[in-house]
Amino acid sequence: MASRCSVSTLFPVQSQLDNALDDATTQQEKEDLVQQYLKKLDEREDLKIPDFQTGLEWLNTEGPLSLNKELAGKVVLLDFFTYCCINCIHILPDLHQLEKRHSVKDGLVIVGVHSAKFPNEKVLDNIRSAVLRYDICHPVVNDSEASLWHELEISCWPTLVLLGPRGNLLFCLVGEGNRDRLMLFTDCALRYYGERGLLKAHTVGIKLYKDTLPPSILSFPGKVAIDKNTKRLVIADTGHHRILVVSSTGDLLHVIGGPESGRKDGDVSEASFNSPQGVAVKGDTVYVAETENHLIRKIDLLEGKVSTLAGVGTQGTDKEGGAMGPQQPISSPWDVMLGTASGDEDNVLWIAMAGTHQIWALFLADGKLPKGSESKAGICVRWAGSGNEENRNNAYPHKAGFAQPSGLALAPEEPWSCMYVADSESSTIRTLTLKDGAVKLLVGGERDPLNLFAFGDVDGKGVDAKLQHPLGVAWASEQNLLYVVDSYNHKIKVVDPKTKQCSTLAGTGDAGDTLGPEFNKSCFNEPGGICVGDGGKLLYVADTNNHQVKVLDLASKTVSLPSGPTKAPTLPKSAARKEMAPVAVTAGQTVIMSVTLSLPEGTKLTEEAPSCWALSAEGNEWLLDHQVLTGSIKDVSQPLCISAKLPVVMKESNGSPSLTLAVWAYYCTEAGKACMMKAASFSQPLQINASSGEGEVIVELTHAF
C-alpha cells in the first residue's frame, strides 16, 4: 500500500534550499532562507507521515510514543540507524550536542528508529545493550521489520528526518557529516513554530534504561590482549572508559582512566579515555585504539604516563594520511596490532581504521611499508583500503576495499606471512600479505564486492562459510589456526588457513550467559575481542554484552570465568593497626590512598612470594559495591596508589563508615638467609557529605616494617 508521503516527496524542494544555502555567505542569510522554506512547506497538506505502528518495542520511555499524542506539538528528529553501522555511531555526538542545546520542554524530541541490517540486530535485548554501550539517552523504537523505513522510502543508514509539530516532513539529511545543517534546520524549525504558538512544552515519558541497572565490574569490554612474556592481560573496559591490567593470577595491577569519559594525557591517575576498544601490549607499554576520541594512545606503565601518538581528538576524513601522528586526523580506530615493516622488530602499529574502512600504519620507529617508500618514526599513513565501503579484494592494497575492519591478528611466520582482518560489515575474514599488501578472502561473504549482505551462520570452506559481523581475530602460531569471534552469531569459530575450513568451536548460536562448561553448551553475547594465551592452550574472550572476560581451555574444551585475585591472607595478631584521622569526602568523589611502605635496611621484597594489599569496607560494603579490592605489591620504592570511587547515591551507614586497607609484605635479607612476612592495616574513617561531588581526595599513609 502506498504511503501518504515519503522523503522522495521532499527531496525536489529541499534540493533547491540546499543549493541556495551553499551559495549563502552569512548566517543570517541562511536562517532567512530556511524560514522562507518552512513557510512555503507548512502550507502543504501532503507531507504528514504515518504514525509508528502499534505493538512496537520501545526503550528509554515509560511506554510507546505516538506522533498524534505524546509527540504532537513537538519538533521530532527521527534517527534511522542500525547499531552495527560506524556511520550511525559517528552522528551520535551530533545528537548529544543537539540534546544539550534544546530540551524536550523547548519542543525537541529525538527518536531513534532502529532499522536492523543483521537479523541479530532485530532482537530487543541486543538493541538495549547498544543503547547502553553508546549512551543513547533519547527514546528508541525497535522497528524490526523496518516498516517506517519502507513507508518513508529511506535508503541508507544513517538518515535523519526532521518533522514539524503535526508529524509533517520538514527536512531529510542522509549520511554523516551534516552537523551544521542539522543545527541550522533544528534551530530554525523550533523558532518558526515557537513564534506561531504551535509548540507544546509538555514532558514526554522518558525513562532511561541505564538508570535501572546495578553497577558491574566490567562494562561492555571490547578487546583483550596478552603480553607473552609477563602473561599480563590487558582489558579494554569500554563502557567504563578505562584500561585494566591484570596479572596471570588474576590480581588487578593497574586501572587507567574511567569511570567517566574524557580526553586527558599525563599521569595514569588522572588520564581519561572515551570508549577505548583495541589494545596491544608489549612489556610495560600498552597501545590503545580510542574509538570515540579518534586517537591512538600509549600507556607507559613503568613511568606511569599516558600520551597521544596519533589523532587530533575529532573525527577525520583523510583517507591518505602521511602526517606525523599528533597532527594526523583519524576516524574511529577499532583495533591495533604491533608488527614489523622493514625495520626493527615491532616498529609499526597496525590500525584497523573502521571509520574510513581502511588499514593504517603508525610508525613507532623508522620503517617502510611493503612496496612503499621510507617512513620516519611518528608517521601515520594508510596502508590498505581505498576508503570505499566494499568487500573488494585486489593485488594492490590501495585498490582493495574493506567494510568497517574491526579486528586484527598477525601471522608473520612463513608460509602465512600475513595479517588477518575481521571485516565486520562484509562479514568476512580477509588476509593482507605482508610482503606486497595484496588483499584476499579467507572465509565468509561472497564474490560480489558490493554485496555487504552475504552473512549467515554456516560452517564451511572459503566463500561457502558464512559469518555475521565478526569483530575479532587471534592467531595461534603453535597450532597454525585462526580464532574468530563471530559476534552476531554469538560464537567462537576456528579457521584453518591452509584449507580455508571454518568451523564452530564454542557457542550455541543463541545469545546467553551459560557456562556449559562444555564448548557446545556455553553461550556468549556479541563477543567483541579475543586473544591467545598460555602458549596456545587458552583463549581469552571479551564477552561484550555479558560484561565479562571468559576463558576457553582448548585442552579440556571448557569455558570458565578467570580466577579472581588470590584471596588475601588473614591479618595476623602481630599486624600493626593504625587508626587514621577522619577525612571529609563527598558522594561520587574518588578516595586515593597513597601508601609509602619501607622495609628494614638490607632487605628486599621476595619476588616469588605474594606480597599484596586488600581494601574493604566492613559493615558498609556498599561503599565498594560489595567488593573487596585486592592487588599485588611488586615494588616499594614508589608509593602504592589505591583508589576507590564512592557511590553517587549514598545509603544509610551502619555506624561510622570507614575504609580499611591491609598490606602484607614478604621480604628477605639481601643475602637471602632469612625471609619473613609482616602485615599492617590502616582504618580510614569517612565523614561523607551526601551532596554529589567530583574530584579526588588523597590520603597519605606511611608504614615502616
Side-chain angles (χ1 to χ4, degrees):
M1 188 176 79
S3 62
R4 281 170 279 181
C5 71
S6 70
V7 293
S8 60
T9 313
L10 190 65
F11 283 144
V13 61
Q14 186 181 326
S15 63
Q16 296 176 24
L17 172 65
D18 290 333
N19 292 334
L21 289 172
D22 290 339
D23 295 333
T25 56
T26 67
Q27 182 66 18
Q28 187 60 54
E29 188 179 352
K30 292 177 181 178
E31 292 176 6
D32 290 343
L33 286 168
V34 177
Q35 291 289 327
Q36 294 167 20
Y37 168 88
L38 286 170
K39 186 176 181 181
K40 178 182 176 181
L41 209 65
D42 210 34
E43 297 170 353
R44 296 179 57 165
E45 296 295 331
D46 61 338
L47 293 178
K48 181 175 172 59
I49 74 165
D51 203 354
F52 300 106
Q53 284 191 344
T54 57
L56 296 181
E57 301 163 315
W58 287 79
L59 295 170
N60 285 344
T61 66
E62 294 174 351
L65 300 181
S66 166
L67 294 173
N68 301 321
K69 296 177 183 177
E70 294 84 2
L71 299 176
K74 300 291 188 185
V75 170
V76 178
L77 180 65
L78 302 178
D79 172 26
F80 288 88
F81 78 110
T82 185
Y83 70 77
C84 70
C85 167
I86 192 69
N87 311 93
C88 300
I89 296 169
H90 284 164
I91 70 166
L92 289 177
D94 300 349
L95 303 185
H96 290 321
Q97 182 178 332
L98 201 58
E99 287 170 310
K100 290 180 180 178
R101 190 164 172 153
H102 302 294
S103 68
V104 173
K105 287 189 176 182
D106 294 335
L108 176 69
V109 179
I110 299 175
V111 176
V113 184
H114 193 270
S115 312
K117 171 184 175 179
F118 293 99
N120 181 69
E121 294 179 308
K122 296 182 179 183
V123 180
L124 183 67
D125 282 346
N126 300 337
I127 302 169
R128 183 182 284 121
S129 293
V131 165
L132 290 171
R133 191 161 64 241
Y134 297 123
D135 196 24
I136 295 173
C137 296
H138 51 256
V140 173
V141 59
N142 178 17
D143 190 10
S144 59
E145 300 306 317
S147 301
L148 193 57
W149 169 288
H150 294 306
E151 286 270 17
L152 296 185
E153 298 180 358
I154 306 297
S155 60
C156 75
W157 301 279
T159 294
L160 297 174
V161 176
L162 197 67
L163 304 176
R166 62 178 191 277
N168 50 308
L169 279 173
L170 299 179
F171 304 98
C172 181
L173 295 168
V174 178
E176 59 176 289
N178 295 306
R179 175 181 292 192
D180 291 343
R181 289 281 166 94
L182 175 62
M183 299 300 167
L184 173 66
F185 291 166
T186 307
D187 291 350
C188 288
L190 288 169
R191 185 165 71 250
Y192 177 86
Y193 288 108
E195 289 172 350
R196 286 157 179 77
L198 297 174
L199 294 182
K200 296 180 181 178
H202 65 273
T203 59
V204 173
I206 292 177
K207 182 181 180 181
L208 298 184
Y209 176 65
K210 68 177 182 179
D211 293 341
T212 67
L213 297 177
S216 59
I217 297 174
L218 297 177
S219 176
F220 300 106
K223 300 287 185 183
V224 286
I226 197 164
D227 181 65
K228 292 183 178 179
N229 294 324
T230 65
K231 313 300 182 190
R232 291 186 294 192
L233 184 71
V234 179
I235 303 168
D237 189 9
T238 308
H240 284 144
H241 311 287
R242 64 184 184 176
I243 303 298
L244 307 181
V245 182
V246 182
S247 75
S248 58
T249 57
D251 291 326
L252 182 60
L253 304 177
H254 302 278
V255 179
I256 308 102
E260 305 301 324
S261 63
R263 178 197 167 196
K264 187 175 182 181
D265 285 339
D267 194 273
V268 291
S269 64
E270 300 177 348
S272 57
F273 300 86
N274 191 351
S275 299
Q277 281 283 349
V279 283
V281 56
K282 183 179 182 181
D284 291 307
T285 304
V286 179
Y287 299 95
V288 182
E290 193 183 0
T291 307
E292 293 295 316
N293 276 335
H294 309 283
L295 299 173
I296 301 298
R297 311 282 288 281
K298 173 185 173 183
I299 303 171
D300 189 320
L301 297 174
L302 207 55
E303 293 188 2
K305 299 292 182 183
V306 176
S307 57
T308 296
L309 298 185
V312 298
T314 55
Q315 183 191 346
T317 57
D318 184 3
K319 296 180 180 179
E320 297 291 337
M324 297 298 288
Q327 286 80 49
Q328 177 61 57
I330 59 177
S331 180
S332 298
W334 210 275
D335 201 8
V336 285
M337 173 66 60
L338 281 164
T340 304
S342 298
D344 297 335
E345 183 181 359
D346 293 335
N347 68 333
V348 68
L349 189 71
W350 302 116
I351 306 168
M353 203 71 78
T356 54
H357 314 292
Q358 295 172 312
I359 308 299
W360 282 48
L362 172 63
F363 282 89
L364 306 176
D366 292 354
K368 180 183 177 183
L369 288 174
K371 293 191 174 180
S373 56
E374 297 285 342
S375 292
K376 294 293 184 182
I379 292 292
C380 188
V381 65
R382 178 266 302 253
W383 179 29
S386 64
N388 297 326
E389 189 174 8
E390 297 176 330
N391 175 24
R392 189 177 298 278
N393 301 302
N394 201 289
Y396 297 94
H398 290 186
K399 292 184 178 181
F402 294 93
Q404 210 169 306
S406 303
L408 303 176
L410 211 58
E413 62 273 14
E414 294 292 347
W416 320 112
S417 189
C418 71
M419 177 190 296
Y420 295 104
V421 180
D423 199 38
S424 61
E425 281 292 279
S426 68
S427 296
T428 63
I429 306 299
R430 319 275 283 285
T431 64
L432 248 170
T433 307
L434 295 178
K435 65 179 181 180
D436 59 12
V439 178
K440 303 173 184 177
L441 172 72
L442 183 62
V443 294
E446 70 150 62
R447 292 180 175 85
D448 179 359
L450 300 180
N451 183 3
L452 301 182
F453 288 80
F455 51 79
D457 184 8
V458 180
D459 290 352
K461 287 187 177 181
V463 75
D464 293 329
K466 291 293 178 278
L467 309 169
Q468 189 183 176
H469 201 76
L471 287 172
V473 280
W475 174 247
S477 57
E478 300 84 359
Q479 307 151 4
N480 289 330
L481 293 174
L482 183 74
Y483 294 96
V484 178
V485 281
D486 191 2
S487 305
Y488 284 7
N489 283 325
H490 317 289
K491 287 183 174 183
I492 311 303
K493 294 185 176 179
V494 59
V495 180
D496 182 341
K498 186 175 182 179
T499 63
K500 294 190 176 184
Q501 178 69 40
C502 177
S503 307
T504 296
L505 178 72
T508 64
D510 295 322
D513 189 23
T514 304
L515 290 173
E518 298 90 343
F519 280 0
N520 61 354
K521 295 180 181 178
S522 295
C523 294
F524 305 87
N525 194 338
E526 291 191 14
I530 188 169
C531 67
V532 178
D534 197 16
K537 298 175 184 176
L538 302 176
L539 298 178
Y540 293 91
V541 174
D543 195 6
T544 304
N545 285 0
N546 281 327
H547 314 292
Q548 296 172 340
V549 171
K550 289 178 177 171
V551 184
L552 278 66
D553 188 315
L554 296 173
S556 64
K557 290 184 167 42
T558 56
V559 181
S560 63
L561 297 176
S563 58
T566 305
K567 185 178 179 181
T570 303
L571 206 65
K573 291 182 179 180
S574 61
R577 288 169 168 83
K578 297 187 176 184
E579 187 80 19
M580 312 305 294
V583 61
V585 295
T586 304
Q589 283 189 320
T590 298
V591 177
I592 298 179
M593 292 184 160
S594 178
V595 191
T596 301
L597 302 174
S598 55
L599 302 178
E601 187 175 351
T603 64
K604 62 178 182 178
L605 285 177
T606 308
E607 291 184 11
E608 298 81 8
S611 296
C612 60
W613 57 266
L615 183 65
S616 60
E618 188 174 351
N620 291 286
E621 286 80 3
W622 56 270
L623 281 169
L624 298 176
D625 191 24
H626 299 277
Q627 301 174 58
V628 175
L629 305 179
T630 64
S632 299
I633 300 175
K634 302 291 186 184
D635 181 16
V636 294
S637 64
Q638 299 291 330
L640 188 67
C641 288
I642 299 159
S643 62
K645 185 174 174 63
L646 299 178
V648 175
V649 179
M650 287 289 143
K651 298 182 180 179
E652 187 173 341
S653 298
N654 182 11
S656 299
S658 65
L659 297 176
T660 300
L661 177 66
V663 293
W664 292 262
Y666 294 79
Y667 56 91
C668 55
T669 60
E670 299 281 359
K673 294 182 178 180
C675 293
M676 57 212 79
M677 187 277 282
K678 296 287 184 181
S681 75
F682 305 86
S683 180
Q684 180 60 66
L686 302 177
Q687 295 176 341
I688 303 176
N689 185 333
S691 60
S692 183
E694 296 180 348
E696 301 169 345
V697 174
I698 299 177
V699 180
E700 303 281 354
L701 307 173
T702 60
H703 181 70
F705 288 108

